[in-house]
Amino acid sequence: MDKSPPPSHAQDPAGAGAAFPPLPSPIVDPAASAHHSQQQAAQASAPVVADNNEIQVSHQDVLFGRGGQTNRHIGNLRYRDIIALHRADYVRASKVEKPNVARRIVKAIRTGKNPGRFLRKGDDGKWQEVSDKEASWKASQALREKTRWSSMKKQKAAQEIADGSQKANEYAEKMVEKATKAVEKTTKKRNAKEEKALSSRKKAAIAMEEPTLNAPTEASQISIPDMSPTRTRMPVSDPAFAVTAGAITPRDEDVLFGRGGKTNHHPGNKRLREIVSSYRSIYRQAKKVDKPKVAKLIVGALRAASPPSRFLRVNDTTNQWEDVGDRRASEKVSQSLREKDKNERDAAKAAAAAEDEDDIDVEASMNATSVQAML
């Protein structure tokens, strides 16, 4: 089928009022263009004549095939005009409705004011009429072909943008919004990476600031401070330390498990915090496999002190104090060694607050710059 674009000056006079009106041929109309009039005169001067038992080709017929004879045939010229006129309807139609557009074109040509047929040459060289199915398939193919209609649509969109139309403004706003979101997403990712890298640098800086200390290898190398006379013994009459006869009674040297002021202010717990503060730097500098050894040595040194320390907790079932054992005691000491002291926590909070303020200022500046660049 011919793929050339439809002539812009050929229009179906009745096409503007209805989707598929009766189709009078614009080629034979006296008001038709000079170009089509010349084509009509050429066809009339050399009419296609067949024998009595063959199909007579008329100006209204649509001829299938390639070459100048079909491309310049008057019926094919009118056919291309009709296709161009209704291509927009085909593009807007849903997938299931597109074949119906082609079928209505075929029906309009067959039954219009100047009805035409769809013909092709058979193997014997004679013209044969094709079925509605094949004619509709050819019409669908022609409707899908790219022509000046699609080019004009692109040019119109470009002109709207150039003229600053409402559609162009809306398009620009959407693009700015999309770009702004992309910048925000990228900034968040970059900030997360920088924060992670900064955390690593902080750890490295802390390690560099701390002097390299020799890690103890034996419990006897752990320095255990004496129990200060200022540490007051917890009163035995306190309900938290009330026990039955023969049960374990907490002493000042013991380390008590639990939450609240009674355990936090116990003399043995205060001494443990002093020891942990002294050996926290050694714990940080130690390799991962050596960190548990530091905690075990502290537990061993406390148990070997004079008087020895115990690590006690209240049994929920018996409501009596009991020793937790070395393993659980080492876990508690390791947890304390990992925690930051008060000064470190305060410094970390202040640094985090300052970084958040800087990040907000940088992000706001980048977003504003990106939006201005898009505009």
Side-chain angles (χ1 to χ4, degrees):
M1 203 60 174
D2 177 44
K3 299 183 179 180
S4 62
S8 58
H9 52 273
Q11 296 293 334
D12 190 347
F20 294 99
L23 299 171
S25 173
I27 305 304
V28 298
D29 194 306
S33 67
H35 173 72
H36 285 170
S37 297
Q38 293 175 1
Q39 293 293 339
Q40 180 181 6
Q43 290 287 346
S45 61
V48 182
V49 181
D51 297 334
N52 293 333
N53 58 345
E54 294 180 1
I55 293 178
Q56 175 78 34
V57 176
S58 68
H59 295 322
Q60 286 75 31
D61 295 335
V62 179
L63 307 182
F64 287 14
R66 297 178 180 276
Q69 181 183 12
T70 57
N71 289 340
R72 294 190 296 270
H73 182 65
I74 296 177
N76 288 52
L77 295 175
R78 185 183 71 158
Y79 175 69
R80 289 199 297 271
D81 290 344
I82 297 169
I83 289 293
L85 182 64
H86 297 288
R87 182 171 281 111
D89 299 328
Y90 183 84
V91 173
R92 287 191 296 265
S94 62
K95 186 175 181 180
V96 296
E97 286 295 328
K98 289 183 185 296
N100 293 333
V101 178
R103 294 189 190 104
R104 289 197 293 269
I105 290 177
V106 172
K107 182 178 180 182
I109 291 176
R110 289 191 184 276
T111 61
K113 182 179 179 181
N114 298 304
R117 299 165 295 180
F118 292 84
L119 307 177
R120 70 173 176 185
K121 283 189 176 180
D123 296 336
D124 57 358
K126 298 179 180 180
W127 291 102
Q128 301 175 355
E129 188 170 2
V130 302
S131 63
D132 288 346
K133 182 177 181 181
E134 183 174 356
S136 299
W137 184 85
K138 284 289 187 179
S140 295
Q141 183 183 21
L143 288 166
R144 288 193 299 270
E145 291 175 350
K146 293 182 179 179
T147 62
R148 286 185 298 176
W149 183 85
S150 57
S151 299
M152 291 172 61
K153 183 178 179 181
K154 293 180 181 179
Q155 292 175 0
K156 182 179 179 181
Q159 188 63 36
E160 288 178 349
I161 295 176
D163 295 341
S165 63
Q166 182 64 28
K167 290 183 178 180
N169 293 335
E170 293 176 356
Y171 175 78
E173 291 176 359
K174 290 181 180 179
M175 292 299 296
V176 170
E177 183 179 358
K178 185 177 180 180
T180 303
K181 290 182 179 179
V183 170
E184 292 176 353
K185 186 176 181 181
T186 303
T187 304
K188 288 181 180 179
K189 288 183 178 179
R190 182 173 58 254
N191 290 342
K193 290 181 179 179
E194 291 177 354
E195 183 178 354
K196 186 176 181 181
L198 182 61
S199 178
S200 301
R201 290 195 297 270
K202 283 183 178 180
K203 291 180 180 178
I206 292 174
M208 291 176 65
E209 292 174 0
E210 293 175 346
T212 303
L213 303 174
N214 295 326
T217 58
E218 297 179 0
S220 59
Q221 297 175 344
I222 300 295
S223 177
I224 303 296
D226 295 332
M227 294 299 299
S228 173
T230 58
R231 295 191 178 98
T232 57
R233 181 182 297 276
M234 298 296 292
V236 178
S237 59
D238 194 302
F241 298 94
V243 294
T244 59
I248 295 176
T249 302
R251 302 191 301 265
D252 285 353
E253 297 80 11
D254 296 334
V255 177
L256 306 183
F257 282 51
R259 297 179 179 274
K262 296 181 178 62
T263 56
N264 289 338
H265 298 295
H266 185 68
N269 289 51
K270 290 183 177 180
R271 182 171 69 167
L272 175 62
R273 288 196 291 271
E274 291 179 11
I275 298 171
V276 166
S277 179
S278 300
Y279 288 91
R280 183 173 281 118
S281 297
I282 295 176
Y283 181 84
R284 287 174 176 172
Q285 294 177 12
K287 296 180 180 179
K288 187 176 182 179
V289 295
D290 294 332
K291 291 183 185 294
K293 297 178 183 178
V294 179
K296 291 178 182 178
L297 290 175
I298 293 175
V299 172
L302 284 170
R303 288 195 182 279
S306 181
S309 296
R310 298 170 295 181
F311 293 81
L312 306 179
R313 70 176 176 187
V314 176
N315 188 304
D316 295 335
T317 303
T318 63
N319 201 31
Q320 301 297 320
W321 291 98
E322 62 181 11
D323 197 304
V324 299
D326 290 346
R327 180 178 178 180
R328 183 68 185 90
S330 297
E331 291 176 356
K332 179 178 178 61
V333 174
S334 293
Q335 180 182 1
S336 300
L337 288 166
R338 289 192 299 270
E339 292 175 349
K340 297 179 180 179
D341 58 25
K342 186 176 185 302
N343 293 334
E344 291 176 336
R345 291 195 297 269
D346 293 343
K349 288 180 180 179
E355 289 176 8
D356 290 342
E357 292 179 359
D358 292 342
D359 290 344
I360 291 172
D361 293 341
V362 171
E363 183 174 357
S365 176
M366 292 183 63
N367 288 344
T369 303
S370 300
V371 171
Q372 290 176 359
M374 289 301 302
L375 292 173

